[in-house]
Amino acid sequence: MRTGLVVPIAFALGLATAAAPAERPRARDLGVPFEGTPGPLNAITDVAGVEVGQVTLVSGEGRLEVGRGPVRTGVTAIHPRGRASNDPVFAGAFALNGNGEMTGLSWLSESGFLEGPVVLTNTHSVGLARDAVIAWQNRRGPGAQPWGLPVVAETWDGWLNDINGFHVKEAHVFQALDEARGGPVEEGGVGGGTGMVCFELKGGIGTSSRRLEARHGGYTLGVLVQANFGLRRQLTVAGVPLGREITEGTFRDDEAGSIIIVIATDAPLLPHQLDRLARRAAMGLARTGSVAMNGSGDLFVAFATANRGLALATSAVSATVLPNEAMNPLFTATVQATEEAIVNALVRGETMIGIDGHRVLGLPHDRLREVLARHGRLGAP
């Protein structure tokens, strides 16, 4: 008999989204040491104006029946200036390894602007989500141009989810976009990260932020990841080869996964500078042990919320610009926040059973603390 793993919550149009998993500690709560000073939420929403909305779809158990489930998927939406704004932001991007998809990058790279939200979901729902974003934008009125080229990115959740059942619907994308808010961001197996696997452990959504010192401008930088990559033996936390010591529950000989990284900042950066910032996310990814294998789609996008109104101007305008020489603290913040966001995704991930009884272990917190303590790397919670 098919039963839901959680009780679904009804919403508009008669569809359903699953209740969020019980809250687990974040990495810092367990004493994992990180460099840098986070913002008050330690989340991408520490960048003023950024809003995040998530829809989580969990239902069914047992044998895979394509079109019926089990379902372990969802949608995550990030609005750079909030869902009420039609003002594009300067943006840049970087592809570390291209075995993945992020729509809209050609125009983003050409124009230097991100015109609307960034939406994350599973690989086979990218087309639907892209079309849904266009429909959502059309419902709200004209944007910077009359045709839509939204940024929608994916990672593959087919180890746990009935990915070919196409369970993400337009209404789920609308809900994630409409219900996006500032404040704390749910992490782990939620939203687009619901069915994701990271280092053969339960992965998903993770976030972190850094606030620069006043002498460096006092800017805030936030990162959100959808983490679905890596082999256990690669996993490194706080410089400790954790994956070599926590070996239970492994099931892969080769990597089959990806990561999407979204970087936000209120620093006044131009598009080419945001390209540079996006490239630095690869260094934070590497700190966790990733080597961006052939099967991995490692796609990063960065945007800056400063300099309002430029994309809609019809004559010459002025922009505030941070000199290249002043970017080093932002590079550092990107590396630090990316690393912590990935570890948060792992720490907040809970053991999940998906299609055909596939079981993915949530990172055991007691083992994490024991290994870090033995290596002299456990800090105070």
Side-chain angles (χ1 to χ4, degrees):
M1 181 176 67
R2 255 177 212 286
T3 58
L5 296 182
V6 295
V7 178
I9 301 173
F11 73 102
L13 303 182
L15 299 169
T17 180
E23 184 169 314
R24 277 158 60 92
R26 304 182 78 192
R28 285 177 183 254
D29 299 330
L30 298 177
V32 180
F34 296 102
E35 299 173 312
T37 302
L41 299 171
N42 196 13
I44 194 171
T45 46
D46 283 323
V47 178
V50 174
E51 296 178 344
V52 176
Q54 304 195 83
V55 170
T56 300
L57 303 173
V58 176
S59 64
E61 59 184 6
R63 183 173 60 86
L64 171 63
E65 295 181 36
V66 175
R68 291 178 56 86
V71 179
R72 308 284 188 272
T73 195
V75 182
T76 296
I78 304 104
H79 294 282
R81 300 195 196 277
R83 64 196 180 283
S85 176
N86 287 325
D87 187 9
V89 290
F90 278 144
F94 176 64
L96 178 63
N97 195 64
N99 199 342
E101 181 62 84
M102 182 181 286
T103 69
L105 286 192
S106 294
W107 181 234
L108 184 151
S109 297
E110 179 77 18
S111 68
F113 285 103
L114 169 62
E115 300 178 8
V118 177
V119 170
L120 312 179
T121 188
N122 74 67
T123 307
H124 292 180
S125 295
V126 167
L128 180 143
R130 174 196 175 277
D131 293 349
V133 173
I134 294 173
W136 183 85
Q137 290 175 320
N138 285 340
R139 188 182 66 179
R140 293 160 51 84
Q145 60 182 21
W147 53 88
L149 298 168
V151 174
V152 177
E154 55 75 31
T155 57
W156 186 79
D157 58 14
W159 183 251
L160 290 169
N161 176 50
D162 173 21
I163 193 169
N164 291 321
F166 306 109
H167 297 281
V168 172
K169 307 300 182 184
E170 180 183 81
H172 298 132
V173 181
F174 280 15
Q175 185 187 13
L177 292 165
D178 285 333
E179 295 185 358
R181 298 290 186 275
V185 177
E186 287 185 84
E187 295 170 295
V190 297
T194 300
M196 302 307 168
V197 180
C198 188
F199 295 111
E200 301 175 81
L201 294 162
K202 188 65 192 73
I205 300 297
T207 190
S208 183
S209 70
R210 291 296 183 272
R211 179 164 289 176
L212 272 57
E213 297 178 14
R215 63 191 178 99
H216 296 310
Y219 302 114
T220 298
L221 180 142
V223 169
L224 184 143
V225 303
Q226 183 164 292
N228 186 60
F229 67 95
L231 297 172
R232 183 76 60 80
R233 62 178 181 266
Q234 298 170 325
L235 174 59
T236 301
V237 174
V240 174
L242 188 73
R244 299 179 191 174
E245 303 204 37
I246 301 177
T247 59
E248 59 267 33
T250 56
F251 56 92
R252 286 178 176 160
D253 296 321
D254 202 1
E255 183 175 358
S258 305
I259 184 170
I260 303 299
I261 301 177
V262 181
I263 305 158
T265 184
D266 57 9
L269 301 181
L270 294 176
H272 77 279
Q273 294 176 309
L274 289 158
D275 287 341
R276 301 182 72 200
L277 206 65
R279 286 196 287 271
R280 268 55 182 192
M283 303 178 78
L285 176 61
R287 285 188 176 190
T288 68
S290 172
V291 296
M293 288 185 173
N294 178 68
S296 190
D298 306 311
L299 305 175
F300 317 147
V301 62
F303 61 81
T305 59
N307 290 308
R308 293 177 176 271
L310 299 189
L312 305 176
T314 57
S315 59
V317 293
S318 298
T320 302
V321 180
L322 194 69
N324 284 336
E325 289 292 337
M327 288 190 66
N328 286 338
L330 290 169
F331 292 157
T332 301
T334 301
V335 174
Q336 293 173 348
T338 299
E339 177 189 20
E340 185 168 359
I342 294 167
V343 178
N344 276 334
L346 288 166
V347 168
R348 294 296 288 270
E350 295 188 80
T351 298
M352 179 175 282
I353 300 173
I355 63 170
D356 295 329
H358 293 169
R359 181 179 185 270
V360 179
L361 180 70
L363 178 63
H365 294 173
D366 55 346
R367 297 286 306 286
L368 167 66
R369 288 176 52 82
E370 184 272 322
V371 173
L372 291 182
R374 184 154 32 85
H375 286 264
R377 294 291 289 148
L378 184 65

